[in-house]
Amino acid sequence: MSMTKIPLLCIFFLLHICIYSGESRPPFACDPRNGMTKNLPFCQVSLHIRDRVKDLIGRLTLQEKIRSLVNNAAPVERLGIRGYEWWSEALHGVSDTGPGVKFGGQFPGATSFPQVILTAASFNASLWEEIGKVVSDEARAMYNGGVAGLTYWSPNVNIFRDPRWGRGQETPGEDPALASRYATSYVRGLQGTGPGNRLKVAACCKHYTAYDLDIWNGVDRFHFDARVSKQDLEDTYNVPFKACVMEGRVASVMCSYNEVNGKPTCADPSLLRGTIRGQWHLNGYIVSDCDSVEVLFKHQRYTDTPEDAVAASIKAGLDLDCGPYLAIYTNAAVRSGKLTEADVNAALSNLLMVQMRLGMFDGSRQPYGYLGPRDVCTPAHQQLALEAARQGIVLLQNRGRSLPLSTRRHRIVAVIGPNSDVTVTMRGNYAGVACGYTTPVQGIARYVKTIHQEGCFGVACNNNRQFGKAEGAARQADATILVMGLDQSIEAEARDRVGLLLPGHQQELVSRVAKASRGPVVLVIMSGGPIDVTFAKNDPKIGAIMWVGYPGQAGGTAIADVLFGTTNPGGKLPNTWYPQNYLSKVPMTRMDMRADPARGYPGRTYRFYKGPVVFPFGYGLSYTSFRPTLAHAPTTISIPLTTLKTFKNTTMLSHGVRVTHTKCDSLISSIHIDVENIGDMDGTHTLMIFATLPVGKHAPEKQLVAFEKVHIVAKSQKRVRIDIDACKHLSMADNNGIRRIPLGEHSLHIGDDIKHSISFITSMEEVKV
């Protein structure tokens, strides 16, 4: 990587403002060399951002304002403002999926972390935030070099509701609590948590809301009307977005293509103005998924004219269009009275506020301006990518302690399968150009001698002509590793899966090679979504099964480290692995989370589905054993009521206490748990606490309320404190979408054996009259 010019530290330490001395971009606006603009109020950093925005808007013509409402915003040359591309992506590393990022020259690549679904399996919030910090360092460095933007439309926090969804790989999984904590952690890492209202980069939580179908059985995302109950919207689909805005303080939310209950999300004032801004108080902008405004007119026929589509979207609360529609039709919408210039000003104000918080109107005094090419693909960043992959890998089966392998006993290892020597497959989708790759066979070859056979060409595995060579390799080896699974040809954006089995002849390859092998057989699954590998669980020749997601640029090293015991696996599944026959009972178009036994509908995710599974949510093995013991937890929690009306209405209380009718800040309780590593190997343990709420017709079977990752040396123990927020974690939504804390006995489940009860009561003395 070229570093012909070394970044210099400069004097603005208190503001964290430095200037990168390399071939950086000229100032976006307010260039101190421009005598015409440098003294204008919108360029004065001493003024409040709100006043600077107001001044700038007052200087713009209507057409200049309108051309700023699209992702490729036009320059305003007379005011010294350059054009800007809002669309950049950073799902798991800086990506060139959007037009805002260009690799090449001094920036040939960026650190490629594991796909989100695998990183989520680490259940490590501090890791997620650290990844966000690294990604934003590299994003800022590339911005300073003139090849990236500062607005990144990541993360994807949709709930992975259906195992067929091609984009489930981009998400943190099926659980709202897990998705929420991932979202807030990653957003904080990206945006920074320094003083004031400034932003390192601007993150974006997408796709709001109830979006988890791309194309299934002739129905695509552009024509899909997601029929969602108020209850499911409140306690499942909207939960991560609410956390993004209220806890993560995200700077942007993206509305989705689909309709929700008959209205396109990008034109629904209840979802946008009412919820995101009104209830959650978004400090930032709302952007459409690309061409959504056009979609709601052309495909969904929601409006009669393009001007109506533009007017409906902006009035609903949309600020930025990823696409040209607002640039083309807003002027006519204003002239015809469907919009006012004040509506345009309000949208533009939200955009300019974010740009000013990013420092884009601060001239050459750029925050993080010291970052440059040497801060991308650093050894530390690449080590973090490796560590993320190690922490996410899930050991699903280890019959007879087949793993870890021994370099002494397993000196020759056969490495077989269509994913055994892949590079870009390990990135998943929405990825950039990686710093470099270590494939699975390369990683294993660092430990032992390998015999490599793909067995079939590509994951489609359309024929078995090469199986004989694979069987031959297995017969010669001391152990056999089969690296199978999926890639973006099977699951991706605009490509939902049709089944849960391994594609093509992969299952046959696994079974034949396992039968031929003279040593232990390990099945390694590379995929985003779950796969029904019941056949492998039942095959006595297959000793171990590992799921490695899409493990990123260092995936091969991480896989090998787990196989040979350099790393003790500690990942847990972030979604349920269903059997193939589950699909016949659940149309992708049915959004109900809760089961409907009368109609043969089994429900969705571990929270509401009680049927058979291949592997359950939260499952994952280790090379050691952990034993949790409850040290301290409350047995009774009294809920203070804030209205006398609620206390007197026994019917209302029988359904639980509204979280808006109590003091949530006083309902955070600490639970102390001792976790002992009773095995012979150091390891990390994910301590999960689930809750079963008092019996109710629509209550989840159980729900994750908290988790914590802890590293414990062999034969030692640590005490872990976990705080539980009753309003957030021990509540549920009623049929009207009102969140309540049920009264009565709540059961907490810690590990497989510990059950603790907490009684929730109310007291008249706590009511304010």
Side-chain angles (χ1 to χ4, degrees), residues 565-570 622-626 676-685 710-716 718:
T566 302
T567 296
N568 189 349
S622 171
Y623 294 151
T624 189
S625 299
F626 299 94
E676 183 181 5
N677 182 343
I678 60 176
D680 298 321
M681 189 175 184
D682 299 351
T684 55
H685 178 62
V710 57
H711 182 81
I712 308 174
V713 175
K715 305 300 182 183
S716 68
K718 285 186 179 179

Side-chain angles (χ1 to χ4, degrees), residues 216-378:
W216 177 81
N217 204 27
V219 179
D220 65 34
R221 57 185 175 174
F222 307 121
H223 299 88
F224 180 49
D225 182 8
R227 294 289 169 172
V228 186
S229 70
K230 293 179 180 178
Q231 186 176 44
D232 285 341
L233 205 60
E234 169 62 28
D235 72 5
T236 298
Y237 296 110
N238 280 0
V239 174
F241 293 97
K242 182 177 181 180
C244 262
V245 175
M246 299 190 71
E247 298 173 42
R249 305 297 180 190
V250 75
S252 175
V253 173
M254 177 184 286
C255 50
S256 54
Y257 288 116
N258 56 289
E259 297 176 77
V260 173
N261 299 326
K263 286 187 178 180
T265 63
C266 292
D268 189 333
S270 175
L271 288 177
L272 304 188
R273 288 196 188 280
T275 303
I276 296 179
R277 290 207 183 277
Q279 296 178 27
W280 302 343
H281 308 295
L282 172 70
N283 180 16
Y285 69 97
I286 298 174
V287 59
S288 72
D289 204 342
C290 294
D291 296 318
S292 286
V293 180
E294 179 181 6
V295 165
L296 70 89
F297 166 66
K298 282 191 174 180
H299 297 281
Q300 296 165 345
R301 300 296 180 185
Y302 184 70
T303 63
D304 293 331
T305 67
E307 292 79 10
D308 290 330
V310 166
S313 299
I314 292 178
K315 285 186 173 181
L318 187 73
D319 303 310
L320 181 69
D321 179 17
C322 177
Y325 242 50
L326 262 60
I328 297 171
Y329 296 107
T330 299
N331 190 43
V334 172
R335 284 191 285 104
S336 62
K338 295 174 180 179
L339 272 179
T340 67
E341 189 165 355
D343 294 324
V344 174
N345 291 347
L348 182 57
S349 175
N350 291 326
L351 297 172
L352 293 175
M353 289 280 282
V354 168
Q355 287 185 313
M356 289 195 180
R357 290 168 64 195
L358 287 164
M360 294 174 67
F361 285 82
D362 294 351
S364 57
R365 297 180 296 178
Q366 284 302 298
Y368 310 99
Y370 55 89
L371 294 168
R374 72 174 184 181
D375 299 296
V376 180
C377 287
T378 68

Side-chain angles (χ1 to χ4, degrees), residues 21-53:
S21 65
E23 297 178 5
S24 58
R25 69 168 73 227
F28 168 76
C30 302
D31 191 331
R33 296 167 295 186
N34 186 338
M36 298 291 292
T37 62
K38 67 179 182 179
N39 294 320
L40 294 177
F42 70 81
C43 290
Q44 304 308 304
V45 295
S46 60
L47 297 179
H48 194 284
I49 286 179
R50 183 170 50 249
D51 297 326
R52 297 171 69 190
V53 169

Side-chain angles (χ1 to χ4, degrees), residues 412-434:
I412 301 175
V413 173
V415 184
I416 296 167
N419 279 337
S420 58
D421 196 28
V422 293
T423 53
V424 295
T425 294
M426 296 194 297
R427 302 180 314 180
N429 67 351
Y430 277 80
V433 178

